[in-house]
Amino acid sequence: MIDLTHITKTYTSGADAYAALKDVSFSIDEGAFVAIMGPSGSGKSTLMHILGCLDTPTTGTYRLDGKDVSAMNDDELAGIRKNKIGFVFQAFNLLPRTTVLRNVVLPLVYANVPRNERAERAKKALIAAGLTEEHFGHLSNQISGGQIQRVAIARALVNDPALILADEPTGNLDSRTSLVVLGTLQALNREHGRTIVLITHETDIAEHANRIIRLKDGAVVADEQNVQPRDAAKEAALYV
Amino acid sequence: MTTRDLIEETQVALAANKVRSGLTMLGIIIGIASVIALTAVGQGAQNSISNSINSLGSNLLEVLPGAARTIGFGASSGRGTAQSLTPGDEAAIASVPNVAAVSGEYSGRYQVTVAGANTNTTVDGVDAAYAAIRNINMAQGSFIADSQSLSLSKVAVIGSTVASDLFGVNATSTNLIGQNVRINNMQFTIIGLMATKGGSGFGNQDNEVFIPLKTALQYFAGNGNQFLSTIDIQATSQASMTQVQNDVTTLLLQRHNISDSTKADFSILNQQDLVSTASSVTGTFTTLLAAVAGISLIVGGIGIMNMMLTTVTERMREIGLRKAIGATSKDVHTQFLAEATALTFIGGVIGVVLGWGASYLVSLSGLVAAQVTTSSVLLAFGVSAAIGIIFGWYPARRAAYLNPIDALRYE
């Protein structure tokens, strides 16, 4: 499903070269829930950009869903992003002054999905992300932080992508809301078999995944199964 | 992304900042409105000048005699004084192709008197066709008929100025038909009063008295003197005027036995020349006015570019997000270009309406009957759309080629 072999990424400015990623190799199977963890400067953002097809590696190959995407041009990468990847960012996930429904419809617009199918698909994704009909017409600045992230998850889902890439999705949320959002991701993984890659610097967030890959200074330092992942839904219930 | 999607996105983006969109449009609105209004005023001025020239007669050519010279190297008496045009010339001209009507003129200034009043004015001997050639309308009675000319009748048609000079300021509202006037001490009967014409250029016809041509030649030109002061020719159409002018020139040269056309003893005044000279003057002014208005359009276009560049910076993260969820550079480019074009297009529509309104107000004020032409409206639309594309291109390009990573990170 995801196959990284000997990925490096080097930034050069003038005579200086800075290696953000040094020989990173790993695979992720379909239906997995993987956390990529590391402190800032570890290269996890660079890795996220490469996984999300926002950037290409300097050397090495990245195969996504059987396709080598490591040497694609901008337009081809845009095509991969719209069909195979759903993003959830830490902040600025939704277009301002735009309704919840319109935000989720947007990827379908770019993917040229016929108009009459769009609303139906967007509503299904919103319900799968744990939102109810009453929110659909709200503007993106009229809903809470936790709801914004769930709308973002719905938008990431709507194109039925191979991979959902969540970059610090709980970074701006309080503990309880974080658990709700993590619970949404866990449910999608368990009940719908979605492949999810979660990028975080917090151990207690990463522990909700089934596998944790730790990065440090641009290299993988640990890659282990998390046999007993924490259950966000149960933890959230304790707050009530 | 379909066109309808594009329209929806554009609508949302422009509505998001109504005040700014409105102010940006204002530049275009003022530019387009002034182009429309000023060209309309220019066109109106041009029309009014052409109309006043055409009111002197339509498709008019005037043949004037050349300068009178004594034989050899004698003194010239100036153009128009030669006795070179004859009633025979007039008759010959009538058979030139595309000539609709011909009238000879014999004119002079004489004392015109009634009991208790007199005036000195131009007395013009003309044929019946003259009324049609010079667009003469009658307020009372009728114009001279051919039969009156043949019978050497002493009848006169007077202009409104002459009427008020002779019969008082309210003369035009009293019945003057049948009254007698003395012209050069000969008694004439008034058979018609001309409607007031105003007019200039070829002379003020309100201050003239018309009598039959043959009567004039008989009683005023002196014994055996059969020369005309002018021959008026009406061509059948504007298009045939040049041909008629050339044919008449050839004919008269031949009749006067002149082989060298530079020594012609007559000259032909073409009304169309006058119209086109006047038109080219007003056309130049119209162009000048439009150019000044055009400058304000360019300034408006720069305003659009400025606003779009600000928008691109402000919406950096939105652009990054759109790219992350699958928008191609082309999608982003099209979207920003559509926003700029929509601004100028809507501004153009409002500008046309305002320009139209301004032209209407100018017409109402009575200064000039401003005329909005279809071509200026089409031009304004074209220019406003083009300005959107030209001045929107660079900001759209900046947006399109933003690196999505940088755009997402932008604070």
Side-chain angles (χ1 to χ4, degrees):
Chain A
M1 168 78 191
I2 288 178
D3 206 3
L4 298 174
T5 39
H6 307 297
I7 294 284
T8 66
K9 181 73 188 180
T10 312
Y11 294 107
T12 45
S13 70
D16 298 333
Y18 167 70
L21 290 177
K22 304 163 188 163
D23 193 18
V24 173
S25 300
F26 60 80
S27 301
I28 295 171
D29 297 327
E30 194 170 346
F33 188 173
V34 181
I36 294 176
M37 246 198 90
S40 55
S42 62
K44 65 179 191 309
S45 288
T46 309
L47 183 58
M48 193 283 278
H49 293 150
I50 290 173
L51 283 174
C53 292
L54 291 165
D55 206 352
T56 50
T58 311
T59 62
T61 46
Y62 169 24
R63 299 180 73 82
L64 172 64
D65 214 11
K67 243 183 210 162
D68 186 356
V69 297
S70 38
M72 285 185 166
N73 67 26
D74 281 354
D75 279 353
E76 292 169 323
L77 287 176
I80 295 288
R81 289 199 294 271
K82 86 175 125 193
N83 294 318
K84 303 227 177 256
I85 297 165
F87 286 93
V88 180
F89 296 104
Q90 178 178 352
F92 201 86
N93 260 308
L94 305 183
L95 295 185
R97 294 177 292 263
T98 309
T99 64
V100 163
L101 191 65
R102 180 71 191 166
N103 265 288
V104 179
V105 162
L106 207 55
L108 302 174
V109 170
Y110 287 119
N112 286 322
V113 170
R115 297 185 75 86
N116 51 10
E117 291 176 26
R118 290 178 192 164
E120 203 51 44
R121 280 176 67 170
K123 283 176 185 169
K124 250 169 81 181
L126 280 163
I127 288 163
L131 288 153
T132 51
E133 196 95 25
E134 56 175 317
H135 300 120
F136 295 176
H138 288 169
L139 294 180
S140 52
N141 48 354
Q142 292 173 333
I143 56 176
S144 71
Q147 284 167 337
I148 286 177
Q149 292 310 74
R150 289 160 92 171
V151 174
I153 291 170
R155 190 193 57 213
L157 276 177
V158 75
N159 256 350
D160 202 12
L163 170 66
I164 293 176
L165 202 51
D167 182 19
E168 305 268 15
T170 60
N172 284 358
L173 303 178
D174 61 53
S175 309
R176 188 184 165 274
T177 318
S178 295
L179 289 169
V180 173
V181 170
L182 283 171
T184 309
L185 290 173
Q186 280 187 324
L188 285 171
N189 173 250
R190 274 191 220 131
E191 290 154 30
H192 301 273
R194 295 282 175 182
T195 312
I196 297 170
V197 172
L198 174 68
I199 288 145
T200 181
H201 66 278
E202 290 175 84
T203 317
D204 52 346
I205 300 290
E207 280 169 354
H208 291 88
N210 301 332
R211 178 184 166 194
I212 302 173
I213 296 172
R214 287 171 204 273
L215 283 183
K216 198 179 179 193
D217 295 332
V220 176
V221 291
D223 182 353
E224 55 211 13
Q225 294 297 319
N226 184 17
V227 272
Q228 276 194 311
R230 293 163 66 167
D231 189 327
K234 277 185 191 166
E235 289 172 289
L238 296 178
Y239 276 87
V240 182
Chain B
M1 203 169 187
T2 63
T3 314
R4 197 169 150 193
D5 293 323
L6 194 63
I7 292 168
E8 279 175 12
E9 289 291 323
T10 306
Q11 197 186 338
V12 169
L14 294 183
N17 209 329
K18 291 190 190 73
V19 174
R20 193 198 290 169
S21 303
L23 285 174
T24 314
M25 263 191 264
L26 200 57
I28 296 296
I29 293 171
I30 292 171
I32 294 289
S34 45
V35 167
I36 297 276
L38 291 179
T39 52
V41 169
Q43 188 64 45
Q46 197 163 338
N47 290 349
S48 100
I49 290 173
S50 311
N51 285 344
S52 69
I53 292 173
N54 282 327
S55 77
L56 299 170
S58 43
N59 308 326
L60 181 68
L61 291 160
E62 228 178 313
V63 185
L64 301 167
R69 285 170 197 275
T70 43
I71 306 298
F73 296 98
S76 169
S77 308
R79 284 185 177 269
T81 53
Q83 296 183 323
S84 57
L85 299 175
T86 63
D89 290 338
E90 183 193 341
I93 288 168
S95 57
V96 166
N98 290 324
V99 167
V102 187
S103 169
E105 273 186 65
Y106 180 85
S107 56
R109 287 188 81 84
Y110 298 99
Q111 210 66 28
V112 180
T113 53
V114 292
N118 76 93
T119 179
N120 185 289
T121 188
T122 306
V123 176
D124 220 345
V126 295
D127 289 323
Y130 188 85
I133 296 172
R134 292 301 192 116
N135 288 341
I136 287 172
N137 293 315
M138 303 305 293
Q140 292 179 23
S142 56
F143 200 73
I144 295 157
D146 277 331
S147 55
Q148 288 161 333
S149 189
L150 285 172
S151 61
L152 305 178
S153 307
K154 288 183 182 166
V155 293
V157 172
I158 63 174
S160 55
T161 308
V162 176
S164 47
D165 285 348
L166 295 178
F167 300 102
V169 282
N170 294 323
T172 48
S173 53
T174 58
N175 185 15
L176 300 175
I177 307 301
Q179 304 249 33
N180 291 328
V181 289
R182 295 186 75 80
I183 302 174
N184 205 21
N185 282 326
M186 273 175 279
Q187 183 162 308
F188 282 72
T189 306
I190 296 176
I191 55 164
L193 172 68
M194 284 159 57
T196 305
K197 212 169 181 186
S200 50
F202 281 98
N204 183 358
Q205 294 179 325
D206 291 338
N207 190 18
E208 276 188 57
V209 174
F210 292 99
I211 59 175
L213 178 61
K214 286 192 192 304
T215 310
L217 288 173
Q218 177 73 29
Y219 297 111
F220 296 137
N223 258 346
N225 193 336
Q226 289 290 298
F227 293 103
L228 302 177
S229 338
T230 313
I231 300 175
D232 290 331
I233 306 169
Q234 185 176 35
T236 50
S237 68
Q238 199 172 317
S240 60
M241 287 183 75
T242 312
Q243 171 253 314
V244 171
Q245 183 174 4
N246 291 339
D247 287 359
V248 170
T249 306
T250 315
L251 176 77
L252 291 181
L253 285 174
Q254 195 188 331
R255 282 180 58 88
H256 298 181
N257 291 322
I258 298 165
S259 52
D260 182 356
S261 64
T262 59
K263 290 191 175 137
D265 56 359
F266 60 91
S267 59
I268 299 181
L269 203 59
N270 186 330
Q271 182 195 26
Q272 213 48 48
D273 293 344
L274 210 65
V275 173
S276 66
T277 305
S279 296
S280 87
V281 170
T282 51
T284 307
F285 274 105
T286 307
T287 312
L288 184 74
L289 291 175
V292 172
I295 291 170
S296 67
L297 257 188
I298 293 174
V299 174
I302 293 168
I304 296 264
M305 175 136 81
N306 195 5
M307 184 245 185
M308 290 309 292
L309 283 173
T310 313
T311 304
V312 169
T313 312
E314 268 181 9
R315 288 159 70 188
M316 195 82 98
R317 303 187 68 171
E318 178 195 325
I319 295 164
L321 182 66
R322 284 179 186 274
K323 287 195 144 188
I325 62 174
T328 58
S329 298
K330 192 172 157 265
D331 288 330
V332 176
H333 191 266
T334 315
Q335 189 191 329
F336 278 84
L337 204 53
E339 283 177 27
T341 314
L343 278 178
T344 56
F345 189 75
I346 297 167
V349 173
I350 300 172
V352 167
V353 172
L354 274 185
W356 215 308
S359 312
Y360 181 69
L361 286 182
V362 168
S363 303
L364 275 191
S365 77
L367 290 173
V368 153
Q371 191 191 23
V372 178
T373 56
T374 321
S375 64
S376 75
V377 171
L378 290 180
L379 189 74
F381 270 125
V383 167
S384 67
I387 279 177
I389 292 169
I390 293 165
F391 290 97
W393 190 271
Y394 173 63
R397 217 186 119 81
R398 285 243 315 225
Y401 291 99
L402 278 177
N403 183 340
I405 300 169
D406 297 337
L408 280 168
R409 275 203 200 126
Y410 184 83
E411 295 294 335

Coordinates of all heavy atoms in Angstrom, one line a residue, chain A residues 4-70:
Chain A
L4 N 8.0 2.9 1.1 CA 9.1 3.8 1.0 C 10.4 3.1 1.0 O 10.7 2.3 1.9 CB 9.1 4.8 2.2 CG 7.9 5.7 2.4 CD1 8.0 6.5 3.7 CD2 7.8 6.7 1.2
T5 N 11.3 3.3 0.0 CA 12.6 2.6 0.0 C 13.7 3.7 -0.2 O 13.7 4.4 -1.2 CB 12.7 1.6 -1.1 OG1 12.1 2.1 -2.3 CG2 12.1 0.3 -0.7
H6 N 14.5 3.7 0.8 CA 15.7 4.6 0.8 C 15.4 6.0 0.4 O 16.1 6.6 -0.4 CB 16.8 4.0 -0.2 CG 17.2 2.6 0.1 ND1 17.7 2.2 1.3 CD2 17.0 1.5 -0.6 CE1 17.9 0.9 1.3 NE2 17.5 0.4 0.1
I7 N 14.4 6.6 1.1 CA 14.0 7.9 0.8 C 15.0 8.9 1.5 O 15.3 8.8 2.7 CB 12.6 8.2 1.3 CG1 11.6 7.4 0.6 CG2 12.3 9.7 1.3 CD1 11.2 7.9 -0.8
T8 N 15.5 9.9 0.7 CA 16.3 11.0 1.3 C 15.7 12.3 0.8 O 15.1 12.3 -0.3 CB 17.8 10.9 0.9 OG1 17.9 11.2 -0.5 CG2 18.4 9.6 1.3
K9 N 15.8 13.3 1.6 CA 15.4 14.6 1.2 C 16.5 15.6 1.6 O 16.8 15.7 2.8 CB 14.1 15.0 1.7 CG 13.5 16.4 1.3 CD 13.1 16.3 -0.2 CE 12.8 17.7 -0.7 NZ 12.3 17.7 -2.1
T10 N 17.1 16.3 0.7 CA 18.1 17.2 1.0 C 17.8 18.6 0.5 O 17.3 18.8 -0.6 CB 19.5 16.8 0.3 OG1 19.6 15.4 0.6 CG2 20.6 17.6 0.9
Y11 N 17.8 19.6 1.4 CA 17.6 21.0 1.1 C 18.9 21.6 0.9 O 19.8 21.6 1.7 CB 16.8 21.7 2.1 CG 15.4 21.1 2.3 CD1 15.0 20.4 3.4 CD2 14.4 21.4 1.3 CE1 13.8 19.9 3.6 CE2 13.1 20.9 1.5 CZ 12.8 20.1 2.6 OH 11.5 19.6 2.7
T12 N 19.1 22.3 -0.2 CA 20.3 23.0 -0.4 C 20.0 24.5 -0.5 O 19.1 24.9 -1.2 CB 21.1 22.6 -1.7 OG1 20.1 22.5 -2.8 CG2 21.7 21.3 -1.5
S13 N 20.8 25.3 0.2 CA 20.7 26.7 0.0 C 22.1 27.2 -0.1 O 22.9 27.2 0.8 CB 20.0 27.4 1.2 OG 20.8 27.4 2.3
G14 N 22.4 27.6 -1.3 CA 23.8 28.0 -1.6 C 24.7 26.8 -1.5 O 24.4 25.8 -2.1
A15 N 25.8 27.0 -0.8 CA 26.7 25.9 -0.7 C 26.3 24.9 0.4 O 26.8 23.7 0.4 CB 28.1 26.4 -0.4
D16 N 25.4 25.3 1.3 CA 25.0 24.4 2.4 C 24.0 23.4 2.0 O 23.0 23.7 1.2 CB 24.4 25.2 3.6 CG 25.5 26.2 4.1 OD1 26.7 25.9 4.0 OD2 25.1 27.3 4.6
A17 N 24.2 22.2 2.4 CA 23.2 21.1 2.2 C 22.7 20.6 3.5 O 23.5 20.4 4.4 CB 23.8 20.0 1.3
Y18 N 21.3 20.5 3.6 CA 20.8 20.0 4.9 C 20.0 18.8 4.6 O 19.0 18.9 3.8 CB 20.0 21.1 5.6 CG 19.1 20.6 6.7 CD1 19.7 20.2 7.9 CD2 17.8 20.5 6.6 CE1 19.0 19.8 9.0 CE2 17.0 20.1 7.6 CZ 17.6 19.7 8.8 OH 16.8 19.2 9.8
A19 N 20.3 17.7 5.2 CA 19.6 16.4 5.0 C 18.5 16.3 6.0 O 18.7 16.1 7.2 CB 20.5 15.2 5.1
A20 N 17.2 16.5 5.5 CA 16.1 16.5 6.4 C 15.7 15.0 6.6 O 15.2 14.6 7.7 CB 14.9 17.2 5.8
L21 N 15.8 14.2 5.6 CA 15.6 12.7 5.7 C 16.8 12.0 5.2 O 17.3 12.3 4.1 CB 14.3 12.4 4.9 CG 13.0 12.8 5.4 CD1 11.9 12.4 4.4 CD2 12.6 12.3 6.8
K22 N 17.2 10.9 6.0 CA 18.4 10.2 5.6 C 18.0 8.7 5.5 O 17.8 8.0 6.5 CB 19.5 10.3 6.6 CG 19.9 11.8 6.9 CD 20.7 11.8 8.2 CE 20.9 13.3 8.7 NZ 21.3 13.4 10.1
D23 N 17.8 8.2 4.3 CA 17.6 6.8 4.1 C 16.5 6.2 4.9 O 16.6 5.4 5.8 CB 18.9 6.0 4.3 CG 18.8 4.6 3.8 OD1 17.9 4.4 2.9 OD2 19.6 3.7 4.2
V24 N 15.2 6.7 4.6 CA 14.1 6.2 5.3 C 13.4 5.1 4.5 O 13.1 5.4 3.3 CB 13.1 7.4 5.6 CG1 11.8 6.9 6.2 CG2 13.7 8.4 6.5
S25 N 13.2 4.0 5.1 CA 12.4 2.9 4.4 C 11.4 2.3 5.4 O 11.8 2.0 6.5 CB 13.4 1.8 4.0 OG 14.4 2.3 3.1
F26 N 10.2 2.1 4.9 CA 9.2 1.4 5.6 C 8.0 1.1 4.7 O 7.9 1.8 3.7 CB 8.8 2.0 7.0 CG 8.2 3.4 6.9 CD1 6.9 3.5 6.6 CD2 9.0 4.5 7.2 CE1 6.3 4.8 6.5 CE2 8.4 5.8 7.1 CZ 7.1 5.9 6.8
S27 N 7.1 0.2 5.1 CA 5.9 -0.1 4.4 C 4.8 0.0 5.3 O 4.9 -0.2 6.5 CB 5.9 -1.5 3.8 OG 7.1 -1.6 3.0
I28 N 3.6 0.4 4.8 CA 2.4 0.5 5.6 C 1.3 -0.3 4.8 O 1.2 -0.1 3.6 CB 1.9 1.9 5.8 CG1 2.9 2.7 6.7 CG2 0.5 2.0 6.4 CD1 2.7 4.2 6.8
D29 N 0.7 -1.3 5.5 CA -0.3 -2.1 4.8 C -1.6 -1.4 4.8 O -1.9 -0.5 5.6 CB -0.5 -3.4 5.6 CG 0.8 -4.2 5.6 OD1 1.5 -4.1 4.6 OD2 1.1 -4.9 6.6
E30 N -2.5 -1.9 3.9 CA -3.8 -1.3 3.8 C -4.6 -1.6 5.1 O -4.4 -2.7 5.7 CB -4.6 -2.0 2.6 CG -5.8 -1.2 2.3 CD -6.5 -1.7 1.0 OE1 -5.8 -2.4 0.2 OE2 -7.6 -1.3 0.8
G31 N -5.3 -0.6 5.6 CA -6.1 -0.8 6.8 C -5.3 -0.6 8.1 O -5.8 -0.8 9.2
A32 N -4.1 -0.1 8.0 CA -3.3 0.1 9.2 C -3.6 1.5 9.8 O -4.1 2.4 9.1 CB -1.8 0.0 8.8
F33 N -3.2 1.6 11.1 CA -3.3 2.9 11.7 C -2.0 3.2 12.3 O -1.6 2.6 13.4 CB -4.4 2.9 12.8 CG -4.7 4.2 13.5 CD1 -5.8 4.4 14.3 CD2 -4.0 5.4 13.2 CE1 -6.1 5.6 14.9 CE2 -4.3 6.6 13.7 CZ -5.3 6.7 14.6
V34 N -1.2 4.0 11.6 CA 0.2 4.2 12.0 C 0.4 5.6 12.5 O -0.1 6.6 12.0 CB 1.1 4.0 10.8 CG1 2.6 4.2 11.1 CG2 0.9 2.6 10.2
A35 N 1.2 5.7 13.6 CA 1.6 7.1 14.1 C 3.0 7.3 13.7 O 3.9 6.4 13.9 CB 1.4 7.2 15.6
I36 N 3.4 8.4 13.2 CA 4.7 8.8 13.0 C 5.1 9.9 14.0 O 4.4 10.9 14.1 CB 5.0 9.3 11.5 CG1 4.7 8.1 10.5 CG2 6.4 9.8 11.4 CD1 4.8 8.5 9.1
M37 N 6.1 9.6 14.8 CA 6.3 10.4 16.0 C 7.7 10.9 15.9 O 8.6 10.3 15.5 CB 6.2 9.5 17.2 CG 5.1 9.9 18.1 SD 5.5 9.2 19.7 CE 6.4 10.5 20.5
G38 N 7.9 12.1 16.5 CA 9.3 12.6 16.6 C 9.2 14.0 17.1 O 8.2 14.7 16.9
P39 N 10.3 14.5 17.7 CA 10.3 15.9 18.1 C 10.4 16.8 16.9 O 10.7 16.4 15.8 CB 11.6 16.0 19.0 CG 12.4 14.9 18.5 CD 11.5 13.8 17.9
S40 N 10.3 18.1 17.1 CA 10.4 19.0 16.0 C 11.9 19.0 15.5 O 12.8 18.8 16.3 CB 10.0 20.5 16.3 OG 10.8 20.9 17.4
G41 N 12.1 19.1 14.2 CA 13.4 18.9 13.6 C 13.8 17.5 13.3 O 14.8 17.2 12.7
S42 N 12.9 16.6 13.6 CA 13.2 15.2 13.3 C 13.0 14.8 11.9 O 13.3 13.7 11.4 CB 12.3 14.3 14.2 OG 10.9 14.5 13.9
G43 N 12.3 15.6 11.1 CA 12.0 15.4 9.7 C 10.6 14.8 9.5 O 10.3 14.4 8.4
K44 N 9.8 14.9 10.5 CA 8.4 14.3 10.3 C 7.6 15.1 9.4 O 6.8 14.6 8.7 CB 7.8 14.0 11.7 CG 7.4 15.2 12.5 CD 6.7 14.7 13.8 CE 6.1 15.9 14.6 NZ 7.0 17.0 14.9
S45 N 7.8 16.5 9.4 CA 7.0 17.3 8.5 C 7.4 17.0 7.1 O 6.5 16.9 6.2 CB 7.2 18.8 8.8 OG 6.6 19.1 10.0
T46 N 8.7 16.9 6.8 CA 9.2 16.6 5.5 C 8.6 15.3 5.0 O 8.2 15.1 3.9 CB 10.7 16.5 5.5 OG1 11.2 17.7 6.1 CG2 11.3 16.4 4.1
L47 N 8.6 14.3 5.9 CA 8.1 13.0 5.6 C 6.6 13.0 5.3 O 6.1 12.4 4.3 CB 8.3 12.0 6.8 CG 7.9 10.5 6.5 CD1 8.6 9.9 5.3 CD2 8.2 9.7 7.8
M48 N 5.9 13.9 6.1 CA 4.5 14.0 5.8 C 4.2 14.6 4.4 O 3.4 14.2 3.7 CB 3.9 15.0 6.9 CG 2.4 15.0 7.0 SD 1.5 16.0 5.8 CE 1.7 17.7 6.4
H49 N 5.0 15.6 4.1 CA 4.9 16.3 2.7 C 5.1 15.3 1.6 O 4.4 15.3 0.6 CB 5.8 17.4 2.6 CG 5.5 18.6 3.5 ND1 6.5 19.5 4.0 CD2 4.3 19.0 4.0 CE1 5.9 20.3 4.8 NE2 4.6 20.1 4.8
I50 N 6.1 14.4 1.8 CA 6.4 13.4 0.8 C 5.3 12.3 0.8 O 4.7 12.0 -0.3 CB 7.8 12.7 1.0 CG1 8.9 13.8 0.7 CG2 7.9 11.5 0.1 CD1 10.3 13.3 1.1
L51 N 4.8 11.9 1.9 CA 3.7 10.9 2.0 C 2.5 11.5 1.4 O 1.7 10.8 0.7 CB 3.4 10.5 3.4 CG 4.4 9.5 4.1 CD1 4.0 9.3 5.6 CD2 4.4 8.2 3.4
G52 N 2.3 12.8 1.6 CA 1.1 13.5 1.1 C 1.2 14.0 -0.4 O 0.3 14.7 -0.9
C53 N 2.3 13.6 -1.0 CA 2.5 14.0 -2.4 C 2.5 15.6 -2.6 O 2.2 16.1 -3.6 CB 1.5 13.4 -3.3 SG 1.7 11.6 -3.5
L54 N 2.9 16.3 -1.5 CA 3.0 17.7 -1.6 C 4.5 18.0 -2.1 O 4.8 19.2 -2.4 CB 2.7 18.4 -0.3 CG 1.3 18.4 0.2 CD1 1.1 18.7 1.6 CD2 0.4 19.3 -0.7
D55 N 5.3 17.0 -2.0 CA 6.7 17.2 -2.3 C 7.3 15.9 -2.8 O 6.6 14.8 -2.6 CB 7.5 17.7 -1.0 CG 8.7 18.5 -1.3 OD1 9.1 18.5 -2.5 OD2 9.3 19.0 -0.4
T56 N 8.4 15.9 -3.4 CA 9.0 14.7 -3.9 C 10.3 14.4 -3.2 O 11.0 15.4 -2.9 CB 9.2 14.7 -5.4 OG1 9.9 15.9 -5.8 CG2 7.8 14.6 -6.2
P57 N 10.8 13.2 -3.0 CA 12.0 12.9 -2.4 C 13.2 13.2 -3.3 O 13.1 13.3 -4.5 CB 12.0 11.4 -2.1 CG 11.0 10.9 -3.0 CD 10.0 11.9 -3.3
T58 N 14.4 13.5 -2.7 CA 15.6 13.8 -3.5 C 16.0 12.5 -4.2 O 16.3 12.4 -5.4 CB 16.7 14.4 -2.6 OG1 16.2 15.5 -1.9 CG2 17.8 14.9 -3.5
T59 N 16.1 11.4 -3.4 CA 16.4 10.1 -3.9 C 15.5 9.1 -3.3 O 14.8 9.4 -2.2 CB 17.9 9.7 -3.7 OG1 18.1 9.6 -2.3 CG2 18.9 10.6 -4.3
G60 N 15.5 7.9 -3.8 CA 14.6 6.8 -3.3 C 13.3 6.8 -4.0 O 13.0 7.7 -4.8
T61 N 12.5 5.7 -3.7 CA 11.2 5.6 -4.4 C 10.1 5.5 -3.4 O 10.3 4.9 -2.3 CB 11.1 4.3 -5.3 OG1 11.7 3.2 -4.6 CG2 11.9 4.5 -6.6
Y62 N 9.0 6.1 -3.8 CA 7.8 6.1 -2.9 C 6.7 5.5 -3.8 O 6.3 6.1 -4.8 CB 7.5 7.5 -2.4 CG 6.1 7.7 -1.8 CD1 5.4 6.6 -1.2 CD2 5.5 8.9 -1.8 CE1 4.1 6.8 -0.6 CE2 4.3 9.1 -1.2 CZ 3.6 8.1 -0.6 OH 2.4 8.3 -0.1
R63 N 6.2 4.3 -3.4 CA 5.1 3.7 -4.1 C 3.8 3.8 -3.3 O 3.8 3.4 -2.1 CB 5.4 2.2 -4.5 CG 6.6 2.0 -5.3 CD 6.8 0.6 -5.6 NE 5.8 0.0 -6.6 CZ 5.9 0.2 -7.9 NH1 7.0 0.8 -8.4 NH2 5.0 -0.3 -8.7
L64 N 2.8 4.5 -3.9 CA 1.5 4.6 -3.2 C 0.5 3.9 -4.0 O 0.3 4.1 -5.2 CB 1.1 6.1 -3.1 CG -0.3 6.4 -2.5 CD1 -0.4 5.9 -1.1 CD2 -0.6 7.9 -2.7
D65 N -0.2 2.9 -3.3 CA -1.2 2.1 -4.0 C -0.7 1.5 -5.3 O -1.4 1.5 -6.3 CB -2.4 3.0 -4.2 CG -3.7 2.3 -4.1 OD1 -3.7 1.1 -3.6 OD2 -4.8 2.8 -4.5
G66 N 0.6 1.1 -5.3 CA 1.1 0.4 -6.5 C 1.7 1.4 -7.5 O 2.3 1.0 -8.5
K67 N 1.6 2.7 -7.3 CA 2.1 3.7 -8.3 C 3.3 4.4 -7.7 O 3.4 4.8 -6.6 CB 1.0 4.8 -8.5 CG 0.5 4.8 -9.9 CD -0.5 5.9 -10.1 CE -1.5 5.6 -11.1 NZ -2.7 6.4 -11.0
D68 N 4.4 4.5 -8.6 CA 5.6 5.2 -8.2 C 5.3 6.7 -8.3 O 5.1 7.2 -9.4 CB 6.7 4.8 -9.1 CG 8.0 5.4 -8.6 OD1 8.0 6.2 -7.6 OD2 9.1 5.1 -9.2
V69 N 5.2 7.4 -7.2 CA 4.9 8.8 -7.2 C 6.1 9.7 -7.0 O 6.0 10.9 -6.9 CB 3.8 9.2 -6.2 CG1 2.5 8.5 -6.6 CG2 4.2 8.9 -4.8
S70 N 7.3 9.1 -6.9 CA 8.5 9.9 -6.4 C 9.0 10.8 -7.5 O 9.8 11.6 -7.2 CB 9.6 8.9 -5.9 OG 9.7 7.8 -6.6

